[in-house]
Amino acid sequence: MTQPVIEVRNLTKVYAGEGDAEVRALDGLDLTVRQGEYVALMGASGSGKSTLMHIIGCLDRPTSGEYWLAGADTQALNEDELARIRGERIGFVFQAFNLLPRTTALENAALPLVYQGVPAAERAERAAAALERVGLGDRLGHKPNELSGGQKQRVAIARALVQDPAVLLADEPTGNLDSRSTADILNLFDELHAEGRTIMLVTHEDEVGARAERVIWMRDGRIVPREGVAVGGTA
């Protein structure tokens, strides 16, 4: 059996509400995602999936519980260590692409390596290889305004891959794309999964979730079953 990449135990996230009220965005959640899995996280707005993704992405901390990322106990890390592990082990793909508008595809894809202090020549080589992998080897010098929506998302995926992360986290990655570009991006995720990449995405779209190996449904901060759909949870 493959090793866990994400391990969550009894995870809670509580926010202060009006007056003395509390909002339990996550309520005692358990989850394991193993190396090479392709997981879709689904549920209505307010179900807690975005909160869970922020914690898994080391962008937020839980109120209580445990979160282990690729064998590292994130609760034991200070903010600098958390930023380092986030940069090294997580690749992010966002709905809005989040590309720098005045820089080329190559420079955008290389950006995580800049923060890691990788030398310029190595940055360019690794970013070019990542862009080649997503089918943009002939667009290295193009800026975002010279690319289609699907091509922009491919640049974002190349940027996420350039560090060879332990897990690829995608938040509504097809939300801004037309149907043809959506199909192209989903085909690319299928290819990355076939290569052994660990992928976890948030989506509201059934067609996107259906491409995943496992679907995890959330409601009221908990993982719940859904008839006819695989149940997420501890593997």
Side-chain angles (χ1 to χ4, degrees):
M1 183 177 291
T2 57
Q3 293 296 313
V5 175
I6 294 167
E7 292 183 274
V8 166
R9 295 288 177 268
N10 197 28
L11 205 70
T12 67
K13 183 65 178 181
V14 180
Y15 297 101
E18 296 183 5
D20 295 329
E22 290 183 341
V23 177
R24 298 184 72 84
L26 297 177
D27 191 10
L29 188 144
D30 293 331
L31 172 67
T32 298
V33 176
R34 296 188 176 277
Q35 183 178 349
E37 277 200 281
Y38 182 2
V39 175
L41 194 61
M42 301 187 72
S45 296
S47 62
K49 60 186 185 299
S50 293
T51 300
L52 178 59
M53 282 287 275
H54 283 159
I55 291 174
I56 288 174
C58 297
L59 298 170
D60 196 5
R61 291 185 182 269
T63 302
S64 63
E66 301 178 11
Y67 169 37
W68 296 73
L69 172 62
D73 180 5
T74 63
Q75 295 299 92
L77 303 178
N78 61 35
E79 292 304 318
D80 289 342
E81 293 167 333
L82 203 63
R84 179 183 55 78
I85 198 173
R86 180 171 62 240
E88 293 177 352
R89 302 190 184 181
I90 300 172
F92 293 97
V93 180
F94 301 99
Q95 178 178 344
F97 318 132
N98 290 2
L99 302 179
L100 298 178
R102 298 183 180 181
T103 59
T104 65
L106 184 69
E107 291 166 333
N108 269 289
L111 195 60
L113 304 178
V114 174
Y115 296 136
Q116 297 298 321
V118 175
E122 183 181 346
R123 292 200 304 266
E125 181 179 356
R126 289 169 61 178
L131 288 164
E132 181 72 32
R133 173 61 194 85
V134 301
L136 291 179
D138 59 346
R139 296 289 191 272
L140 304 186
H142 287 60
K143 295 180 179 179
N145 66 352
E146 300 171 319
L147 300 172
S148 68
Q151 289 171 333
K152 291 176 186 177
Q153 194 60 292
R154 285 176 180 269
V155 174
I157 293 170
R159 180 184 59 197
L161 293 174
V162 76
Q163 282 278 67
D164 192 23
V167 60
L168 189 65
L169 297 183
D171 190 0
E172 299 285 359
T174 61
N176 282 342
L177 303 180
D178 60 30
S179 57
R180 181 174 179 178
S181 296
T182 292
D184 288 343
I185 293 302
L186 292 180
N187 288 338
L188 177 56
F189 279 137
D190 288 345
E191 293 171 9
L192 293 170
H193 173 229
E195 292 171 4
R197 291 282 177 183
T198 306
I199 303 171
M200 187 173 188
L201 62 82
V202 166
T203 183
H204 288 93
E205 302 174 69
D206 288 338
E207 65 172 305
V208 177
R211 301 287 283 268
E213 180 182 23
R214 178 159 61 116
V215 177
I216 297 171
W217 289 92
M218 291 189 65
R219 183 173 64 237
D220 299 329
R222 299 177 180 177
I223 292 173
V224 297
R226 174 162 166 164
E227 186 177 355
V229 179
V231 180
T234 303

